[in-house]
């Protein structure tokens, strides 16, 4: 951790921001990387189906939540073993007009593509822009992530939340050392 913090401290002291940060350029790059992640997923999205697993039950629970929105405070209140966040998000999409058969896949696709955002910023912060690009392109072509992002399971959402949490943790640790 110290080499990263030291590099960040020197750059902040000298320039007031992280090295190599060009907000407009990086935003355009992240959006392009999101498109790169989206493309292979769209190729298989139409043929991937929820043939097994708990996706049918999750969709049903999301539909039940959409019919009667409420705060889910425990597993006994309608989330069962799945946890409330995924069920509520499925319910929100169902309430917005999505079909129970497809909302889980669309949520996974959205979460899979949005995973680029924290992965890019984390990798760029710890290493550099070329490493961040390589990490996001690796994610774009990773077969398991393509599957996660095109089926109605919660893995893509979980990965988005993990990437986001680790990126925020790294930011907090590295920024703590700044004057």
């Amino acid at each position: 951790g110290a080499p990263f913090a030291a590099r960040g401290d020197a750059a902040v002291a000298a320039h007031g921001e992280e090295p190599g940060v060009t907000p407009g350029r990086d935003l355009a790059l992240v959006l392009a990387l999101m498109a790169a992640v989206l493309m292979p997923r769209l190729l298989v999205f139409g043929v991937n189906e929820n043939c097994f697993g708990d996706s049918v039950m999750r969709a049903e629970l999301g539909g039940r939540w959409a019919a009667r929105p409420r705060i889910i405070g425990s597993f006994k209140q309608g989330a069962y073993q799945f946890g409330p966040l995924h069920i509520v998000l499925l319910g929100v999409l169902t309430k917005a007009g999505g079909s129970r058969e497809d909302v889980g896949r669309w949520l996974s696709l959205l979460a899979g593509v949005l995973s680029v955002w924290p992965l890019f910023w984390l990798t760029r912060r710890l290493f550099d822009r070329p490493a961040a690009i390589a990490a996001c392109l690796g994610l774009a072509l990773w077969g398991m992530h393509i599957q996660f992002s095109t089926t109605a399971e919660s893995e893509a959402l979980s990965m988005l939340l993990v990437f986001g949490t680790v990126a925020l943790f790294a930011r907090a640790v590295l920024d703590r050392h700044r004057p």
Side-chain angles (χ1 to χ4, degrees), residues 11-76:
V12 169
H15 306 291
E17 64 179 36
E18 293 179 58
V21 173
T22 332
R25 180 175 157 209
D26 282 346
L27 177 59
L29 179 57
V30 168
L31 293 174
L33 290 166
M34 284 181 173
V37 167
L38 179 62
M39 289 305 127
R41 283 146 186 81
L42 287 179
L43 290 174
V44 300
F45 193 79
V47 295
N48 268 2
E49 293 184 27
N50 300 312
C51 295
F52 60 90
D54 55 16
S55 58
V56 174
M57 186 62 190
R58 287 174 187 267
E60 175 62 27
L61 293 173
R64 289 180 189 178
W65 185 91
R68 201 178 116 243
R70 66 208 172 279
I71 294 174
I72 300 175
S74 76
F75 292 109
K76 292 179 181 180

Side-chain angles (χ1 to χ4, degrees), residues 2 6 10 31 49 59 61 85 89 96 104 112 118 127 136 145 151 155 162 176:
L31 293 174
E49 293 184 27
L61 293 173
L85 179 61
L89 291 175
F127 301 102
C136 292
H145 196 267
T151 57
E155 285 85 351
V162 168
R176 178 182 62 163

Side-chain angles (χ1 to χ4, degrees), residues 51-123:
C51 295
F52 60 90
D54 55 16
S55 58
V56 174
M57 186 62 190
R58 287 174 187 267
E60 175 62 27
L61 293 173
R64 289 180 189 178
W65 185 91
R68 201 178 116 243
R70 66 208 172 279
I71 294 174
I72 300 175
S74 76
F75 292 109
K76 292 179 181 180
Q77 294 176 338
Y80 299 100
Q81 74 267 26
F82 305 116
L85 179 61
H86 196 242
I87 301 305
V88 169
L89 291 175
L90 291 171
V92 167
L93 291 175
T94 301
K95 195 146 185 83
S99 71
R100 288 187 187 183
E101 293 78 25
D102 295 328
V103 293
R105 295 175 63 229
W106 285 109
L107 177 59
S108 291
L109 182 65
L110 178 63
V113 171
L114 289 177
S115 294
V116 169
W117 188 270
L119 179 62
F120 179 86
W121 294 111
L122 172 68
T123 311

Side-chain angles (χ1 to χ4, degrees), residues 153-177:
E153 305 298 333
S154 61
E155 285 85 351
L157 177 61
S158 296
M159 289 186 72
L160 169 62
L161 295 173
V162 168
F163 286 158
T165 301
V166 173
L168 290 172
F169 179 77
R171 179 179 179 186
V173 168
L174 297 177
D175 287 352
R176 178 182 62 163
H177 298 286

